[in-house]
Amino acid sequence: MDLCRLCPRDCGVNRAAGQRGVCGVAGPGIRAARAALHRWEEPCISGETGSGAVFFSGCPLRCVYCQNRDIARGAVGETISWERLAEIFLELEAQGAANINLVTPTHYTPEIIRAVQRARGQGLTVPIVHNGSGYERPEVLRSLEGIIDIYLTDFKYMEPETAARYSRAPDYPAVAQEALAEMVRQAPEPVFDENGLMRRGVIVRHLLLPGHLRNARAVVRYVYETYGDRVYVSLMNQYTPMPGIGETYPELARRVTAREYERLVDYALSLGVENGFIQEGDTAQESFIPAFDGEGLLRDEL
């Protein structure tokens, strides 16, 4: 943590000494906002009981439209040790979690490796899910080989200008392509258990933004033409404009229309995509954002 280069931002800050990089976190320990069963992932991840989601504070990407922006800024959360994180994994499994779901984990990779190794040594058996933005360094992902079973990754942009405007990351398309290649190398074929839960594999998510159908089509085309049905594609229509976003980004001040989403789904089908997930109904009206109140993090709350 004294020269942090865990993400493509390549800050090189001394987090151990209290310096903050783009991810917004600093100091020793792990900062997290919630650890609890989460039922709003893809069906093969959530199952009937829910995914054991650990929401980490901070984020290297920091998209302007982020629906988890309170924790993305690192503004909320509790500080725990990697030893405590290992205990949390076991507690979530005991609650019936289908897996351990690491949400925005990149900037805590070393601690996560230690925690998973300890928890597995103490009997953890459920798969480990890396739930990230797609903005990852391949060499950091390689350090997770044998630790991560499922990559549940965003692929947000194929247009550098769009990535620059909304995430200050014009290199996102190139970085995400290299990162996805490493994820698929580690988990080249999807594996499911008898209940339809994923045990190993890669799922690529794309959140359709209003007015950005061309970018969405480019993402789907790249993923399918490169990996075929070895990679599941999850097309999401749940974009919800955050308060005030229209002042700077007026094009994002509305929800995605049903027609926009239908055109994206139709395009995916026209390419031949068979392994994927779509959202039905007005999911933008639903709440996919839990309370980031520290649930499940401290021992005296269990």
Side-chain angles (χ1 to χ4, degrees):
M1 295 296 102
D2 58 350
L3 187 66
C4 186
R5 301 192 186 281
L6 289 172
C7 83
R9 299 294 189 185
D10 205 25
C11 292
V13 301
N14 188 341
R15 285 170 56 190
Q19 295 179 359
R20 298 181 187 276
V22 175
C23 68
V25 295
I30 301 162
R31 193 163 173 81
R34 178 183 172 88
L37 297 180
H38 188 69
R39 294 178 170 83
W40 298 314
E41 309 289 25
E42 286 71 10
C44 65
I45 300 296
S46 292
E48 295 294 328
T49 57
S51 178
V54 181
F55 290 86
F56 295 98
S57 298
C59 177
L61 197 54
R62 306 282 288 279
C63 305
V64 298
Y65 50 82
C66 180
Q67 296 180 35
N68 292 350
R69 61 184 180 182
D70 287 342
I71 63 170
R73 294 194 300 259
V76 298
E78 302 285 347
T79 299
I80 59 174
S81 66
W82 68 266
E83 294 94 339
R84 174 60 190 145
L85 184 61
E87 294 175 350
I88 288 171
F89 294 163
L90 292 166
E91 291 161 2
L92 289 170
E93 183 179 39
Q95 293 171 31
N99 45 60
I100 301 301
N101 185 353
L102 309 172
V103 185
T104 320
T106 304
H107 44 299
Y108 292 117
T109 297
E111 295 94 335
I112 286 170
I113 292 173
R114 297 188 190 103
V116 171
Q117 289 173 334
R118 171 171 286 199
R120 283 180 172 160
Q122 296 178 349
L124 184 74
T125 62
V126 294
I128 306 295
V129 180
H130 187 285
N131 184 344
S133 68
Y135 195 58
E136 311 283 350
R137 295 185 66 175
E139 55 267 42
V140 174
L141 292 174
R142 281 194 288 273
S143 73
L144 291 166
E145 187 166 9
I147 298 294
I148 300 300
D149 302 293
I150 300 166
Y151 284 99
L152 179 60
T153 181
D154 290 346
F155 200 128
K156 297 177 181 291
Y157 315 108
M158 279 295 287
E159 299 173 344
E161 62 273 19
T162 306
R165 178 164 174 77
Y166 299 142
S167 299
R168 294 187 297 118
D171 60 339
Y172 182 98
V175 169
Q177 289 176 50
E178 291 187 6
L180 181 57
E182 174 58 24
M183 295 174 192
V184 177
R185 185 192 70 79
Q186 292 182 29
E189 298 290 340
V191 177
F192 298 87
D193 67 14
E194 63 278 6
N195 297 313
L197 293 174
M198 182 172 273
R199 299 290 302 184
R200 190 169 183 81
V202 178
I203 300 174
V204 172
R205 287 172 160 174
H206 180 74
L207 175 66
L208 177 60
L209 298 176
H212 287 81
L213 183 59
R214 183 182 65 183
N215 175 68
R217 285 173 166 169
V219 168
V220 175
R221 183 173 65 250
Y222 173 79
V223 173
Y224 184 69
E225 290 183 350
T226 306
Y227 300 106
D229 282 319
R230 292 188 295 154
V231 168
Y232 275 67
V233 177
S234 181
L235 304 179
M236 301 186 295
N237 68 349
Q238 68 195 54
Y239 172 78
T240 303
M242 301 304 289
I245 195 168
E247 297 174 10
T248 307
Y249 305 95
E251 70 276 20
L252 297 183
R254 66 171 177 86
R255 294 190 173 100
V256 170
T257 67
R259 179 58 180 155
E260 284 175 309
Y261 187 64
E262 288 169 2
R263 291 175 67 187
L264 176 59
V265 172
D266 288 345
Y267 180 74
L269 293 173
S270 74
L271 290 175
V273 174
E274 294 185 359
N275 289 347
F277 302 95
I278 62 172
Q279 293 179 318
E280 297 180 340
D282 195 1
T283 52
Q285 300 284 356
E286 300 178 29
S287 175
F288 294 84
I289 308 171
F292 298 123
D293 54 6
E295 179 182 348
L297 295 174
L298 304 180
R299 289 187 184 91
D300 60 1
E301 296 181 352
L302 301 175

